[in-house]
Amino acid sequence: MDQRRVQYQTYVACPEVVKDPREELAYVTCTYRETGIDQPDFLATIDLKPTSPHYGQVIHRLPMPNLKDELNCAGWSATRRNKLILPCLISSRIYVVDVGTQCRAPQLCKMIEPVDVFWKCNKGYLSIVHSLPNGDILISNMGDPAGNGKGGFIVLDGETFELKGNWENECGAPPTGHDFSLRPRHNVLISSSGVVPKCDGPGFNPDYLGKGVFGRRLNVWNLSCRTLIQYFDLGEDSLPMSVQFLHNPDAAEGYVSCALSGVVYRFYKDERGCWAVEEVIKIPAKKVRGWILPEMPAFLANLLISLDDRFLYVSNWLHGDIRQYDISDSRKPKLVGQVFVGGSIFRGGPVTVCRDEELKCQPEPLVIKCKRVRGGPYKMQLSVDGKRLYVTTSFYSTWDKQFYPDVVKEGAVMLQIDVDTENGGLNLNENFLVDFGKEPCGPCLAHDIHFPGGDSTSNISA
């Protein structure tokens, strides 16, 4: 592991990406969609400096010019990472925000309207952002303008942020799309699946299980040729969502988490030079009463790898826990930390757990700084030194309203979890809370988290 940490210093801690080992600001995407509040989504700037009088508070809000966009995920521009790209899940707009000129008060510098995306690319329901080796911006999508399932990517110019068109060659786009991770040194891009957007509009419908609505494929692309060369069927309704390569640019392996099956797969290049997958983590469903189904799956909504490739983190949005795995042996992740930060199975709630293969009793409801935490853990962001893990408690406004109506009424939160980077272990920091229920325009839902200059979810185009 010492060798890995030396690698970490050489390929991550460059001055353009990491100017200070301690993060002092965070940018969080926030939405009012499905809350009943007629206000635009906004980008919140959070003060993370412990000695600041505004520590743990929203110090700036950048409202978008339109309503009901559903800001969800965000990503950095490749050039100096001074622009944050905000694609909209529902409206299919794209906002470009300047965070370099005034990092504490970002400003909107460009907007691409949905009609341009629809007409030029025949794409919609935009999702995840990463930069390409040439500096251009790649954005994945989940469907076409009508909401039919259609995977693929659109490209923005890395300097002007003009819409250039579709990325992939027209040779059999995946049925759905969501997340992706790329590895230029191996000329490969790996993408996951999503949900058919028009079927997901009203929320999760169990009648759609087994009907092809929920994705099941992990896709392998030739990066230079922009062609789909291989895919893995991970099982019906597995819904592979969050995917990430290890940070070491030479590594030909990574992980993908499946939301509905509760499985984490390792993907890797084998000795023949072919890509393969293997199941490395399986979190069992819980038999329950008082829920939409008789069994509640481990809904693995987000996955994150520490910059030194030592730990893997997964957020279990329905059960309510975040798990830390030691991946020193990447083929055999070892559970070393776990903390509950909300979820659906808390003691005294509407859901009763009848059979649980892991827990002896239901966890207690979480109250921090007199605030009852609603919702479940979704988006995570890890500090550069790996010692602080931040998490928000809103997944997607429609599903939030269905499964966690109180989070829509009372607002999401952002929490901080202290990480033991030596032996593994997670502990909730009870002195930190960003309460998005106290926003001036009313409670809102908070999603993605990024630090100025880059972070542990920023891809390395090397």
Side-chain angles (χ1 to χ4, degrees):
M1 188 52 59
D2 289 339
Q3 182 179 0
R4 278 194 187 178
R5 287 178 179 166
V6 170
Q7 290 175 338
Y8 160 76
Q9 292 294 328
T10 60
Y11 71 79
V12 175
C14 61
E16 286 143 4
V17 178
V18 182
K19 296 179 181 178
D20 193 312
R22 174 90 193 202
E23 64 288 350
E24 295 188 355
L25 294 175
Y27 304 118
V28 178
T29 56
C30 301
T31 184
Y32 275 109
R33 186 173 173 269
E34 296 289 358
T35 65
I37 298 173
D38 202 28
Q39 292 290 328
D41 296 353
F42 64 96
L43 182 69
T45 304
I46 314 295
D47 191 329
L48 298 181
K49 189 174 182 179
T51 57
S52 169
H54 304 294
Y55 176 60
Q57 298 178 25
V58 180
I59 59 173
H60 184 265
R61 298 166 184 86
L62 174 63
M64 300 299 114
N66 302 280
L67 298 174
K68 298 178 172 56
D69 282 318
E70 185 97 26
L71 290 182
N72 195 303
C73 299
W76 290 106
S77 63
T79 55
R80 300 183 301 279
R81 296 187 179 175
N82 58 356
K83 301 290 193 302
L84 202 56
I85 316 300
L86 309 180
C88 299
L89 189 61
I90 298 302
S91 72
S92 302
R93 279 188 185 86
I94 304 170
Y95 297 109
V96 181
V97 175
D98 179 2
V99 300
T101 304
Q102 297 184 66
C103 63
R104 299 176 69 86
Q107 296 298 315
L108 184 65
C109 62
K110 188 176 182 63
M111 177 174 64
I112 299 174
E113 290 288 2
V115 65
D116 297 321
V117 178
F118 296 161
W119 282 104
K120 193 163 189 176
C121 304
N122 193 29
K123 299 285 182 65
Y125 300 90
L126 305 181
S127 189
I128 306 297
V129 181
H130 289 304
S131 59
L132 289 168
N134 67 356
D136 284 346
I137 308 300
L138 197 61
I139 304 176
S140 62
N141 71 286
M142 296 177 64
D144 67 11
N148 301 301
K150 183 179 183 180
F153 310 88
I154 66 173
V155 183
L156 304 185
D157 185 278
E159 294 293 336
T160 66
F161 304 105
E162 294 293 326
L163 180 61
K164 298 177 73 171
N166 289 329
W167 175 77
E168 72 277 6
N169 290 320
E170 291 294 332
C171 57
T176 59
H178 181 58
D179 196 8
F180 67 99
S181 187
L182 52 98
R183 185 43 41 88
R185 292 188 185 181
H186 293 278
N187 192 33
V188 68
L189 182 151
I190 306 287
S191 69
S192 64
S193 302
V195 180
V196 176
K198 68 179 181 181
C199 298
D200 190 45
F204 174 78
N205 186 344
D207 293 338
Y208 284 142
L209 291 170
K211 303 289 180 59
V213 171
F214 304 103
R216 57 191 295 169
R217 285 173 43 164
L218 184 68
N219 305 292
V220 182
W221 303 78
N222 182 300
L223 184 61
S224 58
C225 296
R226 296 172 286 122
T227 54
L228 183 63
I229 57 175
Q230 189 178 1
Y231 72 85
F232 299 99
D233 188 332
L234 302 183
E236 189 170 73
D237 300 324
S238 54
L239 194 54
M241 287 185 61
S242 189
V243 56
Q244 187 175 341
F245 272 99
L246 296 181
H247 289 281
N248 182 341
D250 291 319
E253 61 179 318
Y255 299 92
V256 57
S257 60
C258 296
L260 289 178
S261 66
V263 174
V264 175
Y265 291 91
R266 171 180 172 258
F267 56 85
Y268 61 99
K269 185 184 286 188
D270 63 22
E271 61 277 1
R272 299 172 300 163
C274 299
W275 292 93
V277 298
E278 61 179 352
E279 179 182 316
V280 292
I281 298 171
K282 170 68 174 179
I283 300 176
K286 301 179 189 296
K287 187 175 181 180
V288 295
R289 289 197 312 267
W291 199 63
I292 194 171
L293 291 168
E295 287 195 341
M296 182 185 292
F299 194 92
L300 306 186
N302 193 219
L303 174 151
L304 183 150
I305 299 173
S306 63
L307 286 172
D308 61 359
D309 291 335
R310 168 91 187 273
F311 295 112
L312 168 72
Y313 301 87
V314 291
S315 61
N316 187 347
W317 185 66
L318 286 175
H319 294 174
D321 58 321
I322 292 175
R323 301 185 181 215
Q324 178 194 29
Y325 292 87
D326 188 322
I327 53 171
S328 299
D329 183 346
S330 61
R331 298 166 297 177
K332 297 179 180 179
K334 178 182 177 183
L335 181 65
V336 293
Q338 183 181 23
V339 61
F340 279 85
V341 292
S344 297
I345 63 166
F346 58 87
R347 185 190 297 271
V351 176
T352 300
V353 179
C354 305
R355 187 183 71 239
D356 193 327
E357 298 180 23
E358 296 184 316
L359 301 178
K360 294 182 179 179
C361 60
Q362 295 178 235
E364 295 294 330
L366 177 60
V367 178
I368 181 167
K369 300 184 76 171
C370 301
K371 167 80 172 184
R372 170 67 185 278
V373 174
R374 309 290 186 176
Y378 173 39
K379 277 292 185 177
M380 301 177 290
Q381 190 56 263
L382 187 66
S383 62
V384 171
D385 60 12
K387 295 181 179 181
R388 293 166 300 284
L389 182 70
Y390 297 88
V391 59
T392 54
T393 57
S394 169
F395 169 63
Y396 163 52
S397 64
T398 304
W399 286 38
D400 288 342
K401 187 176 182 179
Q402 180 180 8
F403 291 111
Y404 296 112
D406 287 336
V407 79
V408 175
K409 297 175 185 176
E410 301 176 19
V413 300
M414 177 175 163
L415 304 171
Q416 181 193 310
I417 297 165
D418 295 326
V419 180
D420 184 338
T421 57
E422 293 299 322
N423 304 308
L426 302 176
N427 287 288
L428 183 66
N429 183 339
E430 297 187 358
N431 296 315
F432 182 92
L433 174 76
V434 182
D435 185 358
F436 291 97
K438 295 182 178 179
E439 284 302 294
C441 293
C444 70
L445 304 172
H447 294 304
D448 210 6
I449 309 167
H450 286 283
F451 304 139
D455 39 57
S456 61
T457 56
S458 302
N459 70 295
I460 300 169
S461 295

PDB file of all heavy atoms in Angstrom, residues 230 232 268-277:
ATOM      1  N   GLN A 230     -18.610  -4.185 -26.763  1.00  0.00           N
ATOM      2  CA  GLN A 230     -18.924  -5.316 -25.890  1.00  0.00           C
ATOM      3  C   GLN A 230     -19.910  -4.856 -24.836  1.00  0.00           C
ATOM      4  O   GLN A 230     -19.973  -3.667 -24.496  1.00  0.00           O
ATOM      5  CB  GLN A 230     -17.637  -5.812 -25.208  1.00  0.00           C
ATOM      6  CG  GLN A 230     -17.738  -7.106 -24.444  1.00  0.00           C
ATOM      7  CD  GLN A 230     -16.387  -7.520 -23.846  1.00  0.00           C
ATOM      8  OE1 GLN A 230     -15.385  -6.814 -24.005  1.00  0.00           O
ATOM      9  NE2 GLN A 230     -16.356  -8.643 -23.153  1.00  0.00           N
ATOM     10  N   PHE A 232     -22.017  -6.430 -21.034  1.00  0.00           N
ATOM     11  CA  PHE A 232     -22.271  -7.509 -20.089  1.00  0.00           C
ATOM     12  C   PHE A 232     -23.698  -7.378 -19.570  1.00  0.00           C
ATOM     13  O   PHE A 232     -24.114  -6.298 -19.150  1.00  0.00           O
ATOM     14  CB  PHE A 232     -21.290  -7.452 -18.916  1.00  0.00           C
ATOM     15  CG  PHE A 232     -19.860  -7.589 -19.326  1.00  0.00           C
ATOM     16  CD1 PHE A 232     -19.051  -6.470 -19.467  1.00  0.00           C
ATOM     17  CD2 PHE A 232     -19.316  -8.839 -19.584  1.00  0.00           C
ATOM     18  CE1 PHE A 232     -17.729  -6.582 -19.852  1.00  0.00           C
ATOM     19  CE2 PHE A 232     -17.986  -8.964 -19.970  1.00  0.00           C
ATOM     20  CZ  PHE A 232     -17.186  -7.836 -20.105  1.00  0.00           C
ATOM     21  N   TYR A 268     -12.666  -5.661 -15.313  1.00  0.00           N
ATOM     22  CA  TYR A 268     -11.214  -5.694 -15.449  1.00  0.00           C
ATOM     23  C   TYR A 268     -10.827  -6.251 -16.820  1.00  0.00           C
ATOM     24  O   TYR A 268     -11.629  -6.912 -17.504  1.00  0.00           O
ATOM     25  CB  TYR A 268     -10.589  -6.560 -14.347  1.00  0.00           C
ATOM     26  CG  TYR A 268     -11.045  -8.016 -14.387  1.00  0.00           C
ATOM     27  CD1 TYR A 268     -10.249  -8.999 -14.986  1.00  0.00           C
ATOM     28  CD2 TYR A 268     -12.269  -8.400 -13.844  1.00  0.00           C
ATOM     29  CE1 TYR A 268     -10.664 -10.316 -15.033  1.00  0.00           C
ATOM     30  CE2 TYR A 268     -12.692  -9.717 -13.888  1.00  0.00           C
ATOM     31  CZ  TYR A 268     -11.889 -10.671 -14.487  1.00  0.00           C
ATOM     32  OH  TYR A 268     -12.311 -11.987 -14.544  1.00  0.00           O
ATOM     33  N   LYS A 269      -9.587  -5.975 -17.189  1.00  0.00           N
ATOM     34  CA  LYS A 269      -9.034  -6.562 -18.404  1.00  0.00           C
ATOM     35  C   LYS A 269      -8.269  -7.823 -18.024  1.00  0.00           C
ATOM     36  O   LYS A 269      -7.371  -7.778 -17.167  1.00  0.00           O
ATOM     37  CB  LYS A 269      -8.111  -5.569 -19.115  1.00  0.00           C
ATOM     38  CG  LYS A 269      -7.597  -6.066 -20.458  1.00  0.00           C
ATOM     39  CD  LYS A 269      -6.606  -5.088 -21.088  1.00  0.00           C
ATOM     40  CE  LYS A 269      -7.296  -3.871 -21.644  1.00  0.00           C
ATOM     41  NZ  LYS A 269      -6.336  -3.012 -22.424  1.00  0.00           N
ATOM     42  N   ASP A 270      -8.625  -8.943 -18.632  1.00  0.00           N
ATOM     43  CA  ASP A 270      -8.003 -10.213 -18.258  1.00  0.00           C
ATOM     44  C   ASP A 270      -6.670 -10.413 -18.984  1.00  0.00           C
ATOM     45  O   ASP A 270      -6.209  -9.544 -19.738  1.00  0.00           O
ATOM     46  CB  ASP A 270      -8.961 -11.383 -18.503  1.00  0.00           C
ATOM     47  CG  ASP A 270      -9.339 -11.553 -19.966  1.00  0.00           C
ATOM     48  OD1 ASP A 270      -8.588 -11.085 -20.844  1.00  0.00           O
ATOM     49  OD2 ASP A 270     -10.398 -12.169 -20.237  1.00  0.00           O
ATOM     50  N   GLU A 271      -6.062 -11.582 -18.756  1.00  0.00           N
ATOM     51  CA  GLU A 271      -4.734 -11.837 -19.304  1.00  0.00           C
ATOM     52  C   GLU A 271      -4.725 -11.911 -20.831  1.00  0.00           C
ATOM     53  O   GLU A 271      -3.680 -11.752 -21.468  1.00  0.00           O
ATOM     54  CB  GLU A 271      -4.173 -13.143 -18.719  1.00  0.00           C
ATOM     55  CG  GLU A 271      -4.974 -14.391 -19.028  1.00  0.00           C
ATOM     56  CD  GLU A 271      -6.141 -14.574 -18.081  1.00  0.00           C
ATOM     57  OE1 GLU A 271      -6.334 -13.722 -17.189  1.00  0.00           O
ATOM     58  OE2 GLU A 271      -6.868 -15.593 -18.225  1.00  0.00           O
ATOM     59  N   ARG A 272      -5.883 -12.111 -21.439  1.00  0.00           N
ATOM     60  CA  ARG A 272      -5.975 -12.139 -22.906  1.00  0.00           C
ATOM     61  C   ARG A 272      -6.205 -10.752 -23.500  1.00  0.00           C
ATOM     62  O   ARG A 272      -6.267 -10.605 -24.720  1.00  0.00           O
ATOM     63  CB  ARG A 272      -7.115 -13.058 -23.339  1.00  0.00           C
ATOM     64  CG  ARG A 272      -6.963 -14.516 -22.902  1.00  0.00           C
ATOM     65  CD  ARG A 272      -8.237 -15.277 -23.213  1.00  0.00           C
ATOM     66  NE  ARG A 272      -9.375 -14.680 -22.508  1.00  0.00           N
ATOM     67  CZ  ARG A 272     -10.645 -14.909 -22.828  1.00  0.00           C
ATOM     68  NH1 ARG A 272     -10.934 -15.685 -23.860  1.00  0.00           N
ATOM     69  NH2 ARG A 272     -11.609 -14.348 -22.132  1.00  0.00           N
ATOM     70  N   GLY A 273      -6.367  -9.748 -22.611  1.00  0.00           N
ATOM     71  CA  GLY A 273      -6.648  -8.405 -23.094  1.00  0.00           C
ATOM     72  C   GLY A 273      -8.114  -8.144 -23.340  1.00  0.00           C
ATOM     73  O   GLY A 273      -8.468  -7.128 -23.959  1.00  0.00           O
ATOM     74  N   CYS A 274      -8.975  -9.041 -22.872  1.00  0.00           N
ATOM     75  CA  CYS A 274     -10.425  -8.880 -23.022  1.00  0.00           C
ATOM     76  C   CYS A 274     -11.010  -8.380 -21.705  1.00  0.00           C
ATOM     77  O   CYS A 274     -10.473  -8.633 -20.621  1.00  0.00           O
ATOM     78  CB  CYS A 274     -11.080 -10.207 -23.401  1.00  0.00           C
ATOM     79  SG  CYS A 274     -10.495 -10.893 -24.964  1.00  0.00           S
ATOM     80  N   TRP A 275     -12.133  -7.673 -21.785  1.00  0.00           N
ATOM     81  CA  TRP A 275     -12.791  -7.167 -20.588  1.00  0.00           C
ATOM     82  C   TRP A 275     -13.720  -8.217 -20.012  1.00  0.00           C
ATOM     83  O   TRP A 275     -14.372  -8.973 -20.742  1.00  0.00           O
ATOM     84  CB  TRP A 275     -13.540  -5.873 -20.901  1.00  0.00           C
ATOM     85  CG  TRP A 275     -12.604  -4.755 -21.215  1.00  0.00           C
ATOM     86  CD1 TRP A 275     -12.155  -4.366 -22.440  1.00  0.00           C
ATOM     87  CD2 TRP A 275     -11.936  -3.926 -20.260  1.00  0.00           C
ATOM     88  NE1 TRP A 275     -11.252  -3.344 -22.325  1.00  0.00           N
ATOM     89  CE2 TRP A 275     -11.105  -3.032 -20.993  1.00  0.00           C
ATOM     90  CE3 TRP A 275     -11.967  -3.823 -18.865  1.00  0.00           C
ATOM     91  CZ2 TRP A 275     -10.309  -2.070 -20.384  1.00  0.00           C
ATOM     92  CZ3 TRP A 275     -11.182  -2.865 -18.253  1.00  0.00           C
ATOM     93  CH2 TRP A 275     -10.360  -2.005 -18.998  1.00  0.00           C
ATOM     94  N   ALA A 276     -13.774  -8.265 -18.683  1.00  0.00           N
ATOM     95  CA  ALA A 276     -14.593  -9.258 -17.984  1.00  0.00           C
ATOM     96  C   ALA A 276     -15.170  -8.626 -16.727  1.00  0.00           C
ATOM     97  O   ALA A 276     -14.730  -7.549 -16.298  1.00  0.00           O
ATOM     98  CB  ALA A 276     -13.740 -10.478 -17.621  1.00  0.00           C
ATOM     99  N   VAL A 277     -16.172  -9.274 -16.131  1.00  0.00           N
ATOM    100  CA  VAL A 277     -16.769  -8.806 -14.885  1.00  0.00           C
ATOM    101  C   VAL A 277     -16.868  -9.965 -13.899  1.00  0.00           C
ATOM    102  O   VAL A 277     -16.953 -11.130 -14.298  1.00  0.00           O
ATOM    103  CB  VAL A 277     -18.176  -8.192 -15.096  1.00  0.00           C
ATOM    104  CG1 VAL A 277     -18.106  -6.971 -15.987  1.00  0.00           C
ATOM    105  CG2 VAL A 277     -19.143  -9.224 -15.650  1.00  0.00           C
TER     106      VAL A 277
END
